[in-house]
């Protein structure tokens, strides 16, 4: 690491590396026996709010696998309590009093990270001091539309119909809520960068429920503003995960993020064909491929790596979070296979 940049950071900034960096979404979590053992002694919310425990869980997958990045153990809902919304988890987030009117929106306050999420900032500085220098630390925030979905719906849903009808039926209150979430996430991301995060990620898990016209009109401006305002203050690569967003790929790529993370429904070479070869991609193995035989899993990993070769750079990941019933040894196999195949593909390219 002579120039002070990790493999992950080089790739995130569009530089091709001698092998493809790899990490996986939800790598700190329930598929790991050491996580389940710790969770027997502490509930999820307390774990996210106790810096030493959050740091320990963040580092669990790093101790086990040769991953290029750690992602802070927290949740996209974590900062919302600091905005005045009580949350509980069972195991997904539940909001007892959903936001359903302008009056409800007026009752919220913008996030002050030092006051609302000091434990997240402390956890980040602990992890950064314990993480090897050649690994990057990713901090994240929920994208406003995805947070809006949970806040208005009151919890998880297949189609977030209440949230989507509120977006159309109460445009002024909806835009006020989206903007308040946008401003809060700007403060949250900047504070996390100052606390030690090397890269930032925005999770838009439910944005694929929107058509392109609605996305461009109501969501894209909020997203553009977040990227612009964060970048005006701090220089960190930003990853945007627009889950289910293959119909929105062009619109999502216009917000100004450094890296576009994609789900597994379309191959990476299609994203390159649509967005151009200066695009940096993250993804996109189907998480269920980790349940296939080693033969098939190996072939699927190679296909993703080959498909990503046309991008400016590629960060290997799953197309969504690792499932809680995954055998951890399959992830070990994945990491080794990504190393081997990507080294071979890179040297073929050089030669
Ligand atoms: O390893 C990591 O990726 C870091 C930690 C992390 C968690 N949640 C921990 C968690 C991250 C990045 C998230 C993001 C998150 N949370 C998203 C965006 C990513 C995505 O999956 O689309 C969303 C939509 C949430 C909301 C949420 N939190 C749900 C739907 C659930 C239930 C998940 C399930 O599989 O049942 C949670 C709880 C949660 N967040 C757990 C973990 C480890 C499980 C908590 C437990 O019981 O131990």
């Amino acid at each position: 690491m002579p120039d002070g940049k990790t493999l992950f950071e080089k790739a995130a900034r569009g530089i091709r590396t001698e092998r493809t960096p790899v990490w996986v979404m939800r790598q700190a979590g329930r598929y790991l026996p050491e996580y389940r053992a710790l969770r027997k002694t502490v509930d999820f919310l307390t774990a996210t709010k106790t810096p030493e425990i959050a740091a320990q869980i963040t580092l669990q997958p790093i101790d086990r696998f040769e991953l290029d990045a750690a992602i802070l153990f927290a949740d996209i809902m974590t900062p919302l309590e600091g905005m005045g919304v009580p949350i509980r988890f069972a195991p997904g987030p539940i909001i007892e009093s959903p936001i359903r009117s302008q009056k409800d929106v007026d009752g919220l306050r913008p996030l002050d990270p030092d006051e609302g999420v000091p434990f997240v900032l402390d956890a980040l500085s602990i992890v950064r001091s314990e993480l090897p220098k050649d690994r990057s630390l990713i901090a994240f925030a929920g994208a406003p539309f995805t947070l809006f979905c949970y806040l208005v719906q009151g919890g998880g849903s297949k189609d977030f119909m209440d949230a989507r009808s509120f977006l159309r039926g109460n445009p002024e209150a909806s835009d006020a809520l989206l903007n308040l979430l946008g401003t809060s996430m700007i403060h949250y991301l900047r504070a996390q960068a100052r606390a030690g995060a090397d890269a930032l990620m925005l999770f838009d898990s439910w944005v694929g429920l929107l058509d392109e016209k609605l996305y461009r009109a109501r969501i894209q401006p909020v997203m553009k503003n977040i990227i612009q305002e964060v970048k005006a203050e701090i220089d960190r690569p930003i990853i945007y995960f627009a889950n289910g967003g293959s119909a929105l790929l062009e619109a999502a790529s216009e917000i100004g993020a450094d890296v576009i993370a994609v789900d597994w429904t379309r191959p990476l070479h299609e994203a390159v064909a649509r967005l151009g070869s200066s695009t940096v991609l993250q993804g996109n193995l189907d998480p269920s491929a980790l349940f296939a035989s080693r033969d098939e899993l190996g072939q699927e990993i190679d296909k993703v790596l080959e498909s990503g070769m046309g991008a400016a750079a590629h960060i290997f990941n799953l197309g969504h979070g690792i499932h809680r019933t995954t055998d951890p040894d399959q992830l070990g196999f994945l990491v080794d296979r990504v190393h081997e195949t990507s080294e071979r593909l890179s040297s073929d390219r050089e030669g």
Side-chain angles (χ1 to χ4, degrees):
M1 231 189 22
D3 56 2
K5 280 210 186 77
T6 66
L7 214 57
F8 172 89
E9 281 167 70
K10 282 187 195 161
R13 294 190 187 271
I15 302 165
R16 275 271 157 198
T17 46
E18 58 276 20
R19 67 166 177 79
T20 303
V22 50
W23 70 281
V24 304
M25 290 189 270
R26 291 281 173 96
Q27 66 189 21
R30 285 173 300 181
Y31 73 103
L32 284 178
E34 52 272 36
Y35 174 83
R36 293 195 300 269
L38 213 149
R39 276 276 283 101
K40 284 201 178 121
T41 67
V42 59
D43 66 85
F44 178 70
L45 260 182
T46 308
T48 59
K49 289 182 182 174
T50 313
E52 294 73 20
I53 298 177
Q56 188 187 344
I57 296 173
T58 303
L59 292 165
Q60 282 177 343
I62 304 298
D63 292 341
R64 222 188 226 263
F65 310 110
E66 271 189 70
L67 296 161
D68 291 284
I71 181 160
L72 185 76
F73 176 74
D75 197 83
I76 57 166
M77 306 303 281
T78 301
L80 299 184
E81 284 202 311
M83 297 177 66
V85 188
I87 315 259
R88 62 186 178 85
F89 286 86
I94 294 169
I95 291 102
E96 300 292 357
S97 318
I99 307 298
R100 299 273 171 93
S101 68
Q102 182 68 51
K103 197 164 151 278
D104 294 340
V105 178
D106 294 340
L108 304 179
R109 55 181 185 274
L111 178 73
D112 172 346
D114 292 326
E115 184 213 327
V117 283
F119 43 85
V120 169
L121 308 180
D122 291 344
L124 282 165
S125 61
I126 296 173
V127 176
R128 191 51 280 181
S129 70
E130 293 184 7
L131 189 66
K133 294 271 177 289
D134 60 349
R135 317 290 172 87
S136 293
L137 174 56
I138 304 167
F140 65 91
F145 177 69
T146 289
L147 298 174
F148 174 99
C149 280
Y150 286 104
L151 283 175
V152 178
Q153 193 79 29
S157 162
K158 275 200 179 65
D159 58 6
F160 286 94
M161 192 56 201
D162 293 342
R164 291 190 298 126
S165 40
F166 187 72
L167 184 69
R168 303 253 197 191
N170 298 64
E172 280 169 23
S174 294
D175 289 345
L177 178 55
L178 289 166
N179 286 322
L180 178 65
L181 290 165
T183 309
S184 296
M185 293 311 113
I186 291 165
H187 294 306
Y188 188 43
L189 291 168
R190 285 175 178 165
Q192 293 192 92
R194 286 194 295 265
D198 304 304
L200 304 170
M201 177 151 167
L202 281 155
F203 281 96
D204 219 344
S205 305
W206 296 105
V207 77
L209 293 174
L210 298 178
D211 67 68
E212 187 176 355
K213 183 161 167 267
L214 192 57
Y215 179 80
R216 283 186 186 277
R218 309 280 300 283
I219 309 303
Q220 201 191 41
V222 183
M223 297 307 297
K224 276 188 179 161
N225 186 245
I226 294 178
I227 308 276
Q228 198 180 329
E229 291 294 317
V230 171
K231 291 220 168 247
E233 196 151 301
I234 52 109
D235 179 28
R236 299 287 189 289
I238 302 179
I239 307 166
Y240 181 40
F241 177 50
N243 183 42
S246 56
L248 303 173
L249 204 52
E250 288 80 2
S253 77
E254 288 162 16
I255 69 165
D258 300 271
V259 182
I260 300 294
V262 289
D263 66 38
W264 67 90
T265 52
R266 309 300 313 162
L268 295 180
H269 60 79
E270 183 182 308
V272 174
R274 286 169 63 182
L275 303 179
S277 55
S278 60
T279 310
V280 182
L281 294 176
Q282 176 174 282
N284 70 343
L285 184 76
D286 179 350
S288 75
L290 288 161
F291 296 84
S293 67
R294 289 262 163 114
D295 251 15
E296 187 179 334
L297 173 58
Q299 286 168 27
E300 294 291 328
I301 292 166
D302 292 357
K303 261 205 280 182
V304 170
L305 286 165
E306 282 157 18
S307 190
M309 286 305 279
H314 174 211
I315 298 165
F316 193 98
N317 204 309
L318 303 179
H320 204 167
I322 187 168
H323 192 263
R324 66 184 160 73
T325 61
T326 308
D327 175 358
D329 290 342
Q330 291 286 86
L331 182 55
F333 173 82
L334 177 147
V335 171
D336 292 343
R337 181 75 169 224
V338 170
H339 288 178
E340 280 164 31
T341 303
S342 69
E343 270 169 29
R344 180 166 51 73
L345 290 173
S346 302
S347 64
D348 287 356
R349 186 194 185 98
E350 300 297 307

